[in-house]
Coordinates of all heavy atoms in Angstrom, one line a residue:
E1 N 8.3 5.7 14.2 CA 8.9 4.6 13.5 C 8.4 4.6 12.0 O 7.3 5.0 11.8 CB 8.8 3.3 14.1 CG 9.5 3.1 15.5 CD 9.4 1.7 16.0 OE1 9.0 0.8 15.3 OE2 9.7 1.6 17.2
R2 N 9.2 4.0 11.1 CA 8.7 3.9 9.8 C 7.6 2.9 9.7 O 7.6 1.8 10.3 CB 9.9 3.4 8.9 CG 9.6 3.5 7.4 CD 10.9 3.3 6.6 NE 11.9 4.3 7.0 CZ 13.1 4.3 6.4 NH1 13.5 3.5 5.4 NH2 14.0 5.2 6.8
E3 N 6.5 3.3 8.9 CA 5.4 2.4 8.9 C 5.0 2.1 7.4 O 5.2 2.9 6.5 CB 4.2 3.1 9.6 CG 3.7 4.4 9.0 CD 2.5 4.9 9.7 OE1 2.1 4.4 10.7 OE2 1.9 5.9 9.2
F4 N 4.3 1.0 7.2 CA 3.9 0.6 5.9 C 2.7 1.5 5.4 O 1.8 1.9 6.2 CB 3.4 -0.9 6.0 CG 2.6 -1.3 4.8 CD1 3.3 -1.6 3.6 CD2 1.3 -1.5 4.9 CE1 2.6 -2.1 2.5 CE2 0.5 -1.9 3.8 CZ 1.2 -2.2 2.6
V5 N 2.7 1.8 4.2 CA 1.7 2.6 3.5 C 0.9 1.8 2.5 O -0.3 1.6 2.6 CB 2.2 3.9 2.9 CG1 1.1 4.6 2.2 CG2 2.8 4.8 4.0
A6 N 1.7 1.3 1.5 CA 1.0 0.6 0.4 C 2.1 -0.2 -0.3 O 3.3 0.1 -0.3 CB 0.3 1.5 -0.6
T7 N 1.7 -1.3 -1.0 CA 2.6 -2.1 -1.8 C 1.8 -2.6 -3.0 O 0.6 -2.8 -3.0 CB 3.3 -3.2 -1.0 OG1 4.3 -3.8 -1.8 CG2 2.3 -4.3 -0.6
I8 N 2.6 -3.0 -4.1 CA 2.0 -3.6 -5.2 C 2.9 -4.7 -5.7 O 4.1 -4.5 -5.8 CB 1.7 -2.5 -6.3 CG1 1.0 -3.2 -7.5 CG2 3.0 -1.8 -6.8 CD1 0.4 -2.1 -8.5
T9 N 2.3 -5.8 -6.1 CA 3.2 -6.9 -6.6 C 3.5 -6.6 -8.1 O 2.7 -6.0 -8.8 CB 2.5 -8.3 -6.5 OG1 1.2 -8.3 -7.3 CG2 2.1 -8.6 -5.1
W10 N 4.7 -6.9 -8.5 CA 5.2 -6.5 -9.8 C 4.5 -7.2 -11.0 O 4.2 -6.5 -12.0 CB 6.7 -6.7 -9.9 CG 7.3 -5.7 -10.8 CD1 8.0 -6.0 -11.9 CD2 7.3 -4.3 -10.7 NE1 8.4 -4.8 -12.5 CE2 8.0 -3.8 -11.8 CE3 6.8 -3.4 -9.7 CZ2 8.2 -2.4 -11.9 CZ3 7.0 -2.0 -9.9 CH2 7.7 -1.6 -11.0
S11 N 4.3 -8.5 -10.9 CA 3.7 -9.2 -12.0 C 2.1 -9.2 -12.0 O 1.5 -8.9 -13.0 CB 4.1 -10.6 -12.0 OG 3.8 -11.3 -10.8
G12 N 1.5 -9.4 -10.8 CA 0.1 -9.5 -10.8 C -0.6 -8.2 -10.5 O -1.8 -8.1 -10.8
G13 N 0.1 -7.2 -10.0 CA -0.5 -5.9 -9.7 C -1.4 -5.9 -8.5 O -2.3 -5.0 -8.3
N14 N -1.3 -6.9 -7.6 CA -2.1 -7.0 -6.4 C -1.6 -5.9 -5.4 O -0.4 -5.7 -5.3 CB -2.0 -8.3 -5.7 CG -2.3 -9.5 -6.7 OD1 -1.5 -10.3 -7.1 ND2 -3.6 -9.6 -7.0
T15 N -2.6 -5.2 -4.8 CA -2.3 -4.1 -4.0 C -2.7 -4.3 -2.5 O -3.7 -5.1 -2.3 CB -3.0 -2.8 -4.5 OG1 -4.4 -3.0 -4.5 CG2 -2.5 -2.4 -5.8
Y16 N -2.0 -3.7 -1.6 CA -2.2 -3.8 -0.2 C -2.0 -2.4 0.4 O -1.1 -1.7 0.0 CB -1.3 -4.8 0.5 CG -1.4 -6.2 -0.1 CD1 -0.5 -6.5 -1.2 CD2 -2.3 -7.2 0.4 CE1 -0.6 -7.8 -1.7 CE2 -2.3 -8.4 -0.2 CZ -1.5 -8.7 -1.2 OH -1.5 -10.0 -1.8
Y17 N -2.9 -2.0 1.3 CA -2.9 -0.7 1.9 C -3.0 -0.7 3.4 O -3.7 -1.6 4.0 CB -4.0 0.2 1.4 CG -4.0 0.4 -0.1 CD1 -4.6 -0.4 -1.0 CD2 -3.3 1.5 -0.6 CE1 -4.6 -0.1 -2.4 CE2 -3.2 1.8 -2.0 CZ -3.9 1.0 -2.8 OH -3.9 1.2 -4.2
A18 N -2.3 0.2 4.0 CA -2.5 0.4 5.5 C -3.9 0.9 5.7 O -4.4 1.7 4.8 CB -1.5 1.4 6.0
G19 N -4.5 0.6 6.8 CA -5.9 1.0 7.0 C -6.0 2.5 7.1 O -7.1 3.1 6.7
S20 N -5.0 3.2 7.5 CA -5.0 4.7 7.6 C -5.1 5.4 6.3 O -5.5 6.6 6.3 CB -3.8 5.1 8.4 OG -2.6 4.8 7.8
V21 N -4.7 4.7 5.2 CA -4.7 5.4 3.9 C -5.7 4.7 2.9 O -5.9 5.3 1.8 CB -3.3 5.4 3.3 CG1 -2.3 6.0 4.3 CG2 -2.8 4.0 2.9
K22 N -6.2 3.6 3.2 CA -7.1 2.9 2.3 C -8.3 3.8 1.9 O -8.9 4.4 2.8 CB -7.6 1.6 2.9 CG -8.2 0.7 1.9 CD -8.5 -0.7 2.6 CE -9.0 -1.7 1.5 NZ -9.3 -3.0 2.1
G23 N -8.6 3.9 0.7 CA -9.6 4.7 0.2 C -9.2 6.1 -0.2 O -9.9 6.8 -0.9
R24 N -8.0 6.5 0.2 CA -7.5 7.8 -0.1 C -6.2 7.7 -1.0 O -6.0 8.6 -1.8 CB -7.1 8.6 1.2 CG -8.3 8.8 2.1 CD -7.9 9.7 3.3 NE -6.9 9.2 4.1 CZ -5.7 9.7 4.3 NH1 -5.4 10.8 3.7 NH2 -4.8 9.1 5.1
F25 N -5.4 6.7 -0.8 CA -4.2 6.6 -1.6 C -4.4 5.4 -2.6 O -5.1 4.4 -2.3 CB -3.0 6.2 -0.7 CG -2.6 7.3 0.2 CD1 -3.3 8.5 0.4 CD2 -1.4 7.2 1.0 CE1 -2.9 9.5 1.2 CE2 -1.0 8.2 1.8 CZ -1.7 9.4 1.9
T26 N -3.7 5.6 -3.7 CA -3.7 4.5 -4.7 C -2.3 4.3 -5.2 O -1.6 5.2 -5.7 CB -4.6 4.9 -5.9 OG1 -5.9 5.2 -5.5 CG2 -4.7 3.8 -6.9

């Protein structure tokens, strides 16, 4: 199934990452 990887808020630039990619993806 499709899974979340990362997201960024448009105005504030807050980022969120899936645990599987955190530290490797930006």
